[in-house]
Amino acid sequence: MKYKAVCFDFDYTLADSSAGIVKCFRMVIDSHGWKGIDDEQIRRTIGMTLEDAFSLLSGIKEPDQLTALHKEYSLHANTYMNPNTRFYEGSQCVLQALKESGCKTAIVSTKNKNRIDDFLQITQTNHLVDKVIGIYEVKEAKPDPEGLYLAMETLGADKKDVLYVGDSIIDAQTAMNAGVDFCGVTTGVTTASELALYPHKAIISHIEELLTVLE
């Protein structure tokens, strides 16, 4: 195994929660009567903080308003998110293989940690992930490297021994800012050519290809 620790983004990397995310955004958007925002625009914001996503979609810049929209979204997400989230085929096998190899794993996401923890509990995979770091565990969200630094500290891994796996430009920038290797995966809305603009060890089409990268 090339690395002592592999850290993952969550949405569009290990799991597809786009149906739940779109549903929750749609409920907030419709309640405010905003027009001209389609589902694809919402999908393109996955990986951003909710405040940044709502600002991009609505044009709102006022922090208090964005915080209020975040709270509205979270109320809907409590009901609709995890029932509409699914692991990608191969994700559980990859996590299991890393566990068996002795490689440490972490999830570093802009998602709520409790929601990820609940999903891992529901899918009975919580034992396969050593650390989950969400938006509330850091002061600065990705692409700031704070979350990855916290993961490395917890896992006892140096930069040279860590691979970060993600689907977005934000993830690529996070790895670059942290000084760790990056593997892009194109299961989200970001193309291979877009990911290739950033330093990377590999760009893969499906998460199970990661095991070949790690050989």
Side-chain angles (χ1 to χ4, degrees):
M1 188 70 67
K2 290 182 180 179
Y3 300 94
K4 294 180 180 178
V6 178
C7 299
F8 297 89
D9 176 49
F10 185 74
D11 292 321
Y12 275 155
T13 298
L14 285 174
D16 184 0
S17 53
S18 58
I21 291 170
V22 168
K23 184 176 183 65
C24 295
F25 267 106
R26 189 93 268 153
M27 294 176 80
V28 175
I29 288 166
D30 292 348
S31 73
H32 288 269
W34 300 335
K35 304 298 182 183
I37 302 172
D38 61 34
D39 290 355
E40 184 57 28
Q41 288 174 280
I42 296 171
R43 292 187 188 98
R44 295 288 304 184
T45 69
I46 294 176
M48 296 180 179
T49 66
L50 286 171
E51 286 81 1
D52 285 347
F54 275 115
S55 181
L56 180 65
L57 293 170
S58 69
I60 292 171
K61 304 298 182 184
E62 174 56 45
D64 288 346
Q65 288 181 269
L66 294 172
T67 297
L69 292 169
H70 183 149
K71 290 179 179 178
E72 286 182 48
Y73 175 99
S74 294
L75 288 174
H76 297 307
N78 289 338
T79 301
Y80 297 108
M81 186 60 65
N82 280 338
N84 288 283
T85 300
R86 301 288 184 273
F87 268 127
Y88 283 119
E89 184 178 357
S91 289
Q92 290 166 280
C93 292
V94 167
L95 292 173
Q96 183 67 47
L98 291 174
K99 185 73 171 180
E100 291 175 357
S101 74
C103 184
K104 298 292 186 180
T105 59
I107 292 172
V108 180
S109 172
T110 53
K111 204 178 190 76
N112 185 323
K113 175 185 184 297
N114 291 339
R115 220 172 301 288
I116 297 173
D117 285 339
D118 288 347
F119 177 76
L120 296 176
Q121 186 70 36
I122 291 166
T123 56
Q124 299 182 347
T125 53
N126 51 307
H127 65 290
L128 300 179
V129 178
D130 295 298
K131 182 69 176 179
V132 176
I133 297 168
I135 189 65
Y136 298 121
E137 281 62 57
V138 295
K139 294 180 180 178
E140 299 294 334
K142 298 186 300 183
D144 190 279
E146 182 184 354
L148 268 180
Y149 287 157
L150 179 56
M152 287 188 280
E153 179 182 356
T154 303
L155 301 179
D158 296 328
K159 293 181 180 181
K160 63 181 175 59
D161 298 319
V162 174
L163 180 70
Y164 188 49
V165 184
D167 68 280
S168 70
I169 288 171
I170 290 173
D171 296 324
Q173 292 171 333
T174 302
M176 182 174 67
N177 292 339
V180 305
D181 287 347
F182 176 68
C183 176
V185 57
T186 58
T187 40
V189 295
T190 307
T191 65
S193 59
E194 289 172 314
L195 292 171
L197 296 174
Y198 296 86
H200 59 278
K201 286 298 178 182
I203 297 173
I204 58 179
S205 300
H206 304 284
I207 194 65
E208 60 264 37
E209 295 174 37
L210 178 63
L211 296 178
T212 300
V213 175
L214 295 173
E215 290 178 352

